[in-house]
Amino acid sequence: MILTDKNGISFYQFFEFKKLSGIDHAIFTRHTGYSSGPYKSLNISFGLGDEVNHVQKNRHIISECVQAKELVFAEQVHGDHVLIDDSHLRGGKKKKTASSPIGDAMVTRLRETFLVIQVADCQSVMLYDPGRAVVANIHVGWRGSINNIIGRTLKAMVEHFGCLTDEILAGVGPSLGPCCAEFFNFKLEIPKKFWPYKDTSHHFDFWAISHDQLVAAGVLDENITISRICTKCNTDVFFSYRGEGTTGRFAAVIGLK
């Protein structure tokens, strides 16, 4: 990943995505926002205890950076529901409200409509099919992993928009790494088929799980980029629920120009 600066706002980008002309994307840090306390400073999530006006100002910052006509948010619930195009996304535009659509993956072909995943350890998995001009953004926590929300999203892209999985590019953003993804009660929480991804200290490699689920769904290995940046190890740069408890959420954003 490469660190980009625009108007004094720093954000990370996948090199493989940045060189493509059809999309814009950004994974923001926790810096250069308005929030204070445990939410300092670029928290983009309501309902955590942060001041509403600060969150609104922070969302405006990220909107300006990617020049979005609108930002689309979903109410993330660690489920496996995939929201498709404008028919299911309209309720979540601009801000999260009671009318925001519930889901943990969003897919669109609308231009200047930027899909936002709110992150504090879970993965944001970005997908782009340049041939069909379709993008997706997926919120992948450990529950999303075991329910293979990645595979469900790719299936939806194929069924709804005729996407070809061997042409799709994928990027896995900063998230909880195998160094810190410890599960003491894994026998109760995580199905046995995922235990090969565990080390001897009960740490799981969810980056590897996401990689393998992408490949199993037809994405080529050479089209997958994993940031390999652990949020818990880098709380000076990113929000981390595991590392901090009460904290904010940073934004992972992708959309068609």
Side-chain angles (χ1 to χ4, degrees):
M1 298 190 76
I2 56 177
L3 186 62
T4 302
D5 183 275
K6 185 175 182 180
N7 300 326
I9 310 299
S10 296
F11 50 89
Y12 285 86
Q13 294 184 300
F14 296 108
F15 176 77
E16 293 76 5
F17 284 9
K18 182 177 173 60
K19 62 186 180 181
L20 299 172
S21 61
I23 59 169
D24 202 354
H25 76 293
I27 298 174
F28 291 86
T29 70
R30 67 184 297 162
H31 301 306
T32 61
Y34 288 90
S35 301
S36 59
Y39 315 106
K40 186 178 181 180
S41 61
L42 194 59
N43 167 51
I44 51 88
S45 288
F46 295 110
L48 301 175
D50 195 3
E51 294 186 30
V52 170
N53 66 315
H54 288 168
V55 177
Q56 291 171 335
K57 290 179 179 179
N58 292 339
R59 291 189 174 194
H60 180 71
I61 288 173
I62 66 173
S63 178
E64 289 292 305
C65 278
V66 296
Q67 297 181 320
K69 184 176 181 180
E70 61 183 79
L71 299 176
V72 177
F73 296 79
E75 184 176 350
Q76 300 169 187
V77 294
H78 297 277
D80 59 10
H81 183 58
V82 181
L83 298 161
I84 303 296
D85 213 3
D86 59 335
S87 61
H88 293 86
L89 295 178
R90 298 304 88 201
K93 61 184 177 183
K94 297 188 184 299
K95 63 180 181 177
K96 177 183 172 183
T97 66
S99 62
S100 296
I102 296 174
D104 288 88
M106 297 177 282
V107 184
T108 190
R109 60 182 172 187
L110 295 178
R111 298 194 178 276
E112 300 181 63
T113 298
F114 282 72
L115 311 176
V116 187
I117 295 297
Q118 304 163 76
V119 186
D121 286 338
C122 295
Q123 298 171 22
S124 165
V125 179
M126 299 181 179
L127 304 175
Y128 175 45
D129 181 342
R132 264 53 53 186
V134 176
V135 293
N137 208 353
I138 317 172
H139 169 241
V140 187
W142 66 269
R143 293 178 181 86
S145 289
I146 64 177
N147 289 316
N148 194 13
I149 190 171
I150 288 175
R152 290 176 181 268
T153 305
L154 285 159
K155 182 179 179 182
M157 293 175 72
V158 171
E159 292 180 348
H160 288 270
F161 302 117
C163 293
L164 302 177
T165 55
D166 61 356
E167 294 184 9
I168 289 176
L169 304 177
V172 179
S175 47
L176 196 68
C179 48
C180 296
E182 188 172 22
F183 286 78
F184 289 109
N185 298 316
F186 71 90
K187 291 184 179 179
L188 299 176
E189 296 171 328
I190 300 177
K192 194 171 184 178
K193 68 179 181 179
F194 294 100
W195 293 2
Y197 294 95
K198 182 184 72 68
D199 66 12
T200 57
S201 299
H202 301 170
H203 290 73
F204 280 78
D205 188 346
F206 284 97
W207 293 340
I209 291 173
S210 291
H211 171 275
D212 291 353
Q213 288 177 341
L214 287 163
V215 171
V219 180
L220 301 181
D221 181 75
E222 58 264 33
N223 289 343
I224 301 171
T225 302
I226 300 176
S227 69
R228 302 196 179 279
I229 299 174
C230 176
T231 44
K232 186 179 178 183
C233 289
N234 294 278
T235 55
D236 58 325
V237 181
F238 300 103
F239 295 116
S240 169
Y241 179 78
R242 284 266 189 139
E244 303 170 283
T246 301
T247 191
R249 302 293 185 270
F250 63 90
V253 186
I254 187 170
L256 298 168
K257 291 182 178 179

